[in-house]
């Protein structure tokens, strides 16, 4: 299984890492997805059906077969972030990031105080599944190399309002990547699902340019599982790519022939 550090290094080196999205709150589904070879899988706490109590078993199923457990929190607030991390998430995807101030809080709530890369963390320190309920406590919180300081942190750019503060967002020293949420971004522009519209493409180009200037890796959610679209995003230099959704895999593969 790749570690969070491995994924951070790969996306910064321009090497694509491909994960997927889980909306069905089932360890069995997570186990199947993990056997398919994804680097990571994100439990979707925004639009999925997960409860706090279900996350540990879903994460265990992913870990068992070498897929790193991530979470897309429902909102970039302290309660949601704490629940995902204490359950064992090794990466966090923040939805609807529109300003540097919003991102500052989200990242601070995600990281312990005193880390080597970012000292301004405000994550609560306590025993949880993430540190084996204290058995791995020292290895988790150590400021130099602790696992709790080495999360993959991704900001979703999915509203046109974010374009006004891209320099601020992308200058955060602890942000690893951004991810385009294409449906929300296009909807915020009055262009829902019109991914070939010139205004949408211009927004993507502006986001890419600002991220590249700050050394932030590019990410995209290829929602509809199409291998050609995945290859196209990798060819365009996207290195943090979410491919499909568990429910869509079922819909695409399970449709009755002729229906």
């Amino acid at each position: 299984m790749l570690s969070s550090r491995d994924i951070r290094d790969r996306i910064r080196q321009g090497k694509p890492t491909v994960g997927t999205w889980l909306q069905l709150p089932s360890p069995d589904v997570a186990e199947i997805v993990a056997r398919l070879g994804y680097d990571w899988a994100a439990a979707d706490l925004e639009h999925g059906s997960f409860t706090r109590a279900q996350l540990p078993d879903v994460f265990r199923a992913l870990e068992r077969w070498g897929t790193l457990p991530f979470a897309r929190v429902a909102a970039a607030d302290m309660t949601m972030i704490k629940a995902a991390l204490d359950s064992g998430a090794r990466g966090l995807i923040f939805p609807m990031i529109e300003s540097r101030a919003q991102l500052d809080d989200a990242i601070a709530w995600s990281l312990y105080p005193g880390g080597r890369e970012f000292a301004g963390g405000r994550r609560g320190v306590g025993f949880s599944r993430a540190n084996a309920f204290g058995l791995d406590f020292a290895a988790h919180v150590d400021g130099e190399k602790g696992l709790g300081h080495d999360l993959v942190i991704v900001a979703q750019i999915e509203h046109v309002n974010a374009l006004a503060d891209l320099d601020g967002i992308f200058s955060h020293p602890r942000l690893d990547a951004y991810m385009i949420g294409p449906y929300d971004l296009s909807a915020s522009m009055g262009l829902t699902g019109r991914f070939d519209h010139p205004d949408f493409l211009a927004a993507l180009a502006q986001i890419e340019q600002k991220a590249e200037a700050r050394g932030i890796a590019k990410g995209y959610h290829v929602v509809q599982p199409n291998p050609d679209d995945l290859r196209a995003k990798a060819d365009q230099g996207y290195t943090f790519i979410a491919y499909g959704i568990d429910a869509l895999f079922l819909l695409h593969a399970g449709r009755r022939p002729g229906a």
Side-chain angles (χ1 to χ4, degrees):
M1 179 170 67
L2 293 175
S3 69
S4 51
R5 169 55 65 178
D6 292 334
I7 288 179
R8 294 182 67 201
D9 288 345
R10 283 178 59 171
I11 61 178
R12 289 301 183 93
Q13 294 165 3
K15 301 175 182 177
T17 179
V18 179
T20 191
W21 224 243
L22 303 177
Q23 289 190 324
L24 306 176
S26 165
D28 292 334
V29 170
E31 187 170 31
I32 292 169
V33 166
R35 296 295 297 268
L36 300 179
Y38 290 99
D39 298 325
W40 52 269
D44 182 4
L45 308 184
E46 182 180 16
H47 297 301
S49 304
F50 295 90
T51 67
R52 168 72 173 80
Q54 291 168 323
L55 286 179
D57 284 341
V58 168
F59 288 168
R60 287 186 190 99
L62 294 172
E63 292 165 346
R64 170 66 178 82
W65 296 106
T67 295
L68 204 63
F70 283 16
R72 194 265 292 274
V73 293
D77 65 37
M78 183 175 63
T79 300
M80 293 297 305
I81 289 169
K82 185 183 298 186
L85 291 176
D86 284 352
S87 297
R90 300 295 307 134
L92 289 176
I93 301 168
F94 303 131
M96 287 288 180
I97 294 298
E98 299 180 18
S99 71
R100 171 60 183 265
Q102 184 187 13
L103 183 63
D104 282 343
D105 283 338
I107 291 180
W109 290 324
S110 302
L111 298 172
Y112 291 120
R116 176 173 51 84
E117 291 183 82
F118 179 70
R122 302 200 305 270
R123 179 180 173 184
V125 180
F127 294 170
S128 66
R129 179 184 179 265
N131 55 53
F133 302 97
L135 290 174
D136 298 334
F137 186 74
H140 205 72
V141 302
D142 180 88
E144 288 297 312
K145 54 185 178 181
L147 292 174
H149 296 280
D150 208 24
L151 305 170
V152 180
I153 295 180
V154 179
Q156 282 198 280
I157 304 300
E158 48 185 354
H159 198 284
V160 68
N161 290 349
L163 273 60
D165 200 11
L166 289 175
D167 285 322
I169 292 169
F170 292 154
S171 64
H172 196 292
R174 191 50 186 80
L175 182 67
D176 292 308
Y178 75 87
M179 173 185 279
I180 296 296
Y183 283 97
D184 276 321
L185 180 59
S186 62
S188 76
M189 302 173 70
L191 301 167
T192 304
R194 298 172 64 185
F195 304 141
D196 58 352
H197 193 281
D199 290 346
F200 180 79
L201 295 175
L204 290 186
Q206 180 181 349
I207 295 165
E208 290 178 10
Q209 181 182 32
K210 295 287 188 179
E212 289 171 0
R214 296 288 184 176
I216 298 298
K218 301 193 300 183
Y220 201 95
H221 189 179
V222 179
V223 178
Q224 297 292 336
N226 182 318
D228 291 338
D229 291 342
L230 177 61
R231 283 190 289 270
K233 289 305 174 191
D235 290 344
Q236 292 164 16
Y238 286 90
T239 57
F240 187 82
I241 305 174
Y243 181 69
I245 301 172
D246 55 0
L248 286 181
F249 295 150
L250 179 61
L251 286 171
H252 280 255
R255 189 180 300 277
R256 174 183 166 185

